[in-house]
């Protein structure tokens, strides 16, 4: 069997691999990209980030129609969802994004191979392409096979007709009722989507609150908002799902234990398991290249995303550090720079994330759970209703909060729940990345009236609080 030689081979063609492939190809490296799926883009493009946001955009339009009377638009009604039109819109966007990536790689001379890849030895990868096998050799290997849905280990939870996020985003049917097992970011976004489509949604969460990885105030606010919606989303926390049963009529019954109500059953049309994701490492022979997986199946890496085999890198979800597409893309770029002997490292505490619930959620850096460990840190909160743009837009739900250091006025973190949160977090991230302070944020002029005034007003309030605290203690007020 012939072997084709490359400088770099990537296993995977998602955001953990293609940025490195493009960067290295632009620097005259001979690169091959291996993709197991039918097109380039990875889980984010075909089963995660992008399909969910396409559908959530439709959900937002539905809510706008339902609230149109508040803006003087009488008799506006949402009557029917044209699933075929929505599905075609999704497919068109996915095809366009995938084709654009294919063209960019081709223009730079990158070889694209479709098939299932595995390690043959330390410098060789074997690819199963239909009935044929190809062997690729490389000086460096970038292994970025991504992640997969974490399974729910209870009776019948392995039934193929149970939904994961991938099945839920096919949107080939809209159930009248849906039970979502898991109240993390995936569960929150899909609850938002199906609620807007008219489905009665019930969320079961094992932790004491939904969005347990977020600041406690965020999950509490979203739960309250969901409960007061026109089509309320029911939330139960501290529960343990014990079994999922199919019924003769095709529906499902979820059995679970509640700490106060005891054993309960919920019968619904569909069940979605969204308890998180895990590294997709189970189908590759990592032992052949001397790599021992971690306790969660993750690939251990250093700050440059090098594995214990120095010529093999593992950026993205596969290392289990930050399972976000934009984090994977940044890690991929760091890998490429390290291969080219231009090392730079990521700041893992300054990686923003967003949740496209209604209202939107975004956060970066530290939250209020860090205050107990840092006595000089403070928290300041600003309500959306006190800024003009949310009032004009007719959506004054939510708040923004800032974590800052009273000694240095350095911004340590920010959480936002409200209109445009996913866009507002970027400026805060940039300020934090460059060691910005309350002063540096306040001194930046923001146009009026825009949503950016929410975080400007927040920073101004925090600065006033900082100066007041300093004055009360008899210290000098910062003027730098």
């Amino acid at each position: 069997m012939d072997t084709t030689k490359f400088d770099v081979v990537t296993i995977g063609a998602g955001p953990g691999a293609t940025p490195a492939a493009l960067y290295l190809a632009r620097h005259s490296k001979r690169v091959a990209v291996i993709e197991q799926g039918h097109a380039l883009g990875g889980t984010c493009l075909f089963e995660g980030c992008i399909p969910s946001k396409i559908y959530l955009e439709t959900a937002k339009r539905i809510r706008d129609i339902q609230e149109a009377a508040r803006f003087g638009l009488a008799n506006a009604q949402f009557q029917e969802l044209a699933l075929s039109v929505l599905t075609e819109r999704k497919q068109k966007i996915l095809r366009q994004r995938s084709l654009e990536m294919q063209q960019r790689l081709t223009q730079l001379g990158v070889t694209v191979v479709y098939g299932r890849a595995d390690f043959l030895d330390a410098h060789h990868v074997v690819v199963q392409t239909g009935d044929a096998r190809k062997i690729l050799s490389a000086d460096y290997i970038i292994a970025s096979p991504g992640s997969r849905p974490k399974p729910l280990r209870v009776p019948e939870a392995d039934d193929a007709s149970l939904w994961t996020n991938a099945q839920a985003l096919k949107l080939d049917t809209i159930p009248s009722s849906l039970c979502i097992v898991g109240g993390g970011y995936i569960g929150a976004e899909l609850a938002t989507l199906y609620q807007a489509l008219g489905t009665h949604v019930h969320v079961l969460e094992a932790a004491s609150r939904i969005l347990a990885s977020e600041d406690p105030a965020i999950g509490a606010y979203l739960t309250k908002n969901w409960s007061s919606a026109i089509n309320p989303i029911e939330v139960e926390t501290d529960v343990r799902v014990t079994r999922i049963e199919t019924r003769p009529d095709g529906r499902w019954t979820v059995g679970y234990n509640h700490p106060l109500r005891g054993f309960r059953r919920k019968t619904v049309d569909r069940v979605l398991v969204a308890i998180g994701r895990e590294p997709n490492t189970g189908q590759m022979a990592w032992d052949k290249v001397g790599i021992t997986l971690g306790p969660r199946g993750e690939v251990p890496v250093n700050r440059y995303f090098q594995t214990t085999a120095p010529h093999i890198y593992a950026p993205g979800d596969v290392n289990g550090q930050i399972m976000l597409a934009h984090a994977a893309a940044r890690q991929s770029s760091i890998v490429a720079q390290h291969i080219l002997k231009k090392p730079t490292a990521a700041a893992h505490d300054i990686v923003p994330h967003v949740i496209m619930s209604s209202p939107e959620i975004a956060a970066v850096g530290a939250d209020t759970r860090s205050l107990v460990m840092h006595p000089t840190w403070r928290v300041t909160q600003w309500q959306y209703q006190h800024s003009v743009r949310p009032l004009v837009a007719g959506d004054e739900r939510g708040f923004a909060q800032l974590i800052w250091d009273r000694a240095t006025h350095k911004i340590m973190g920010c959480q936002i729940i409200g209109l445009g949160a996913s866009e507002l977090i970027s400026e805060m991230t940039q300020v934090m990345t460059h060691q910005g302070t309350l002063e540096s944020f306040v001194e930046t002029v923001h146009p009026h009236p825009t949503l950016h005034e929410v975080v400007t007003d927040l920073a101004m309030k925090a600065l006033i609080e900082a100066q007041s605290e300093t004055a009360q203690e008899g210290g000098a007020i910062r003027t730098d």
Side-chain angles (χ1 to χ4, degrees):
M1 187 181 302
D2 292 338
T3 299
T4 307
K5 177 72 172 66
F6 294 92
D7 296 317
V8 182
V9 167
T10 79
I11 298 175
T18 50
L22 292 167
Y23 191 99
L24 291 165
R26 283 195 294 269
H27 286 77
S28 303
K29 296 295 183 182
R30 191 179 183 203
V31 181
V33 169
I34 306 169
E35 170 54 44
Q36 183 174 344
H38 65 283
L40 304 179
T43 298
C44 175
L45 180 59
F46 293 105
E47 297 180 357
C49 323
I50 307 306
S52 64
K53 305 314 175 285
I54 292 169
Y55 291 151
L56 284 164
E57 186 65 31
T58 294
K60 177 181 178 298
R61 304 303 172 94
I62 292 172
R63 289 192 298 273
D64 289 344
I65 294 171
Q66 292 170 339
E67 298 175 0
R70 297 171 53 208
F71 297 86
L73 302 176
N75 302 320
Q77 294 182 5
F78 167 61
Q79 296 180 337
E80 183 181 0
L81 181 68
L83 277 177
S84 60
V85 175
L86 181 54
T87 301
E88 176 53 33
R89 179 172 184 267
K90 178 192 77 170
Q91 295 299 340
K92 180 179 179 181
I93 292 172
L94 302 191
R95 284 195 301 268
Q96 178 180 334
R97 295 292 296 170
S98 184
L99 180 60
E100 286 176 353
M101 179 55 68
Q102 178 83 49
Q103 291 172 339
R104 291 174 67 191
L105 290 170
T106 300
Q107 289 170 358
L108 289 169
V110 175
T111 299
V112 177
V113 181
Y114 289 95
R116 182 176 175 274
D118 199 357
F119 296 113
L120 191 60
D121 58 39
H123 285 278
H124 292 83
V125 174
V126 60
V127 186
Q128 188 69 42
T129 58
D131 295 331
R133 298 176 80 214
K134 295 182 178 180
I135 296 179
L136 282 60
S137 70
D139 297 330
Y140 299 95
I141 298 173
I142 301 174
S144 186
S147 62
R148 60 191 177 196
K150 187 181 296 183
L152 179 66
R153 304 192 186 283
V154 301
E156 294 198 42
D158 58 350
D159 191 300
S161 55
L162 278 177
W163 277 1
T164 65
N165 63 289
Q167 284 78 44
L169 291 172
K170 289 181 179 178
L171 212 65
D172 51 7
T173 183
I174 300 175
S176 62
S177 57
L178 171 66
C179 179
I180 301 179
V181 181
Y185 74 95
I186 296 173
E189 289 192 347
L190 292 175
T192 298
L193 169 61
Y194 277 93
Q195 175 206 37
L197 299 180
T199 299
H200 177 68
V201 180
H202 194 105
V203 177
L204 299 177
E205 170 56 45
S208 60
R209 64 181 187 274
I210 63 168
L211 301 177
S213 63
E214 303 298 317
D215 186 277
I218 296 294
Y221 190 95
L222 185 62
T223 300
K224 182 179 179 181
N225 191 268
W226 277 355
S227 67
S228 61
I230 296 174
N231 177 19
I233 296 175
E234 295 183 54
V235 175
E236 289 189 82
T237 57
D238 290 308
V239 303
R240 183 171 66 89
V241 174
T242 57
R243 69 181 300 107
I244 300 175
E245 302 171 336
T246 55
R247 291 163 47 97
D249 60 1
R251 305 182 80 204
W252 297 82
T253 297
V254 181
Y256 57 97
N257 289 316
H258 189 279
L260 299 178
R261 302 167 187 163
F263 182 75
R264 306 193 73 196
R265 290 184 176 89
K266 184 74 177 179
T267 298
V268 292
D269 291 342
R270 291 284 184 177
V271 177
L272 164 62
V273 176
I275 60 172
R277 299 186 66 82
E278 61 184 16
N280 187 27
T281 52
Q283 296 182 334
M284 293 177 61
W286 300 92
D287 57 321
K288 288 187 176 180
V289 292
I291 295 174
T292 301
L293 300 179
R296 295 175 292 117
E298 77 278 10
V299 179
V301 293
N302 64 14
R303 64 198 300 259
Y304 301 112
F305 309 100
Q306 258 178 317
T307 69
T308 51
H311 66 289
I312 299 178
Y313 295 79
D317 288 4
V318 72
N319 62 48
Q321 293 185 0
I322 307 175
M323 290 189 173
L324 299 169
H326 50 282
R330 176 62 181 143
Q331 292 176 15
S332 186
S333 296
I334 290 170
V335 166
Q337 291 172 314
H338 195 260
I339 289 174
L340 295 172
K341 306 297 188 292
K342 302 176 181 179
T344 181
H348 285 297
D349 56 339
I350 312 179
V351 178
H353 61 271
V354 301
I355 303 171
M356 294 297 192
S357 52
S358 179
E360 290 181 1
I361 296 166
V364 62
D367 60 32
T368 58
R369 291 170 293 183
S370 300
L371 296 179
V372 67
M373 299 296 295
H374 299 275
T376 65
W377 289 10
R378 302 290 185 267
V379 58
T380 299
Q381 194 174 98
W382 181 264
Q383 300 296 320
Y384 260 62
Q385 63 186 359
H386 298 318
S387 294
V388 67
R389 181 59 184 165
L391 298 177
V392 172
D395 191 354
E396 59 269 26
R397 300 173 297 165
F399 64 87
Q401 68 181 24
L402 202 62
I403 310 298
W404 50 277
D405 190 325
R406 72 169 300 272
T408 63
H409 293 189
K410 182 179 176 182
I411 296 172
M412 311 308 298
C414 180
Q415 297 81 47
I416 308 172
I417 179 167
L419 180 68
S422 62
E423 307 296 336
L424 295 178
I425 203 65
S426 292
E427 183 180 13
M428 195 62 73
T429 302
Q430 184 177 28
V431 171
M432 290 177 60
T433 299
H434 295 285
Q435 310 297 310
T437 62
L438 298 174
E439 287 84 355
S440 62
F441 199 95
V442 169
E443 291 165 5
T444 301
V445 179
H446 294 79
H448 174 77
T450 65
L451 283 176
H452 283 279
E453 290 178 300
V454 170
V455 286
T456 304
D457 292 338
L458 170 65
M460 176 61 78
K461 183 182 178 183
L463 182 58
I464 292 171
E465 291 176 356
Q467 293 173 340
S468 176
E469 185 174 352
T470 300
Q472 288 175 8
E473 294 178 355
I477 296 177
R478 286 173 55 107
T479 58
D480 56 326

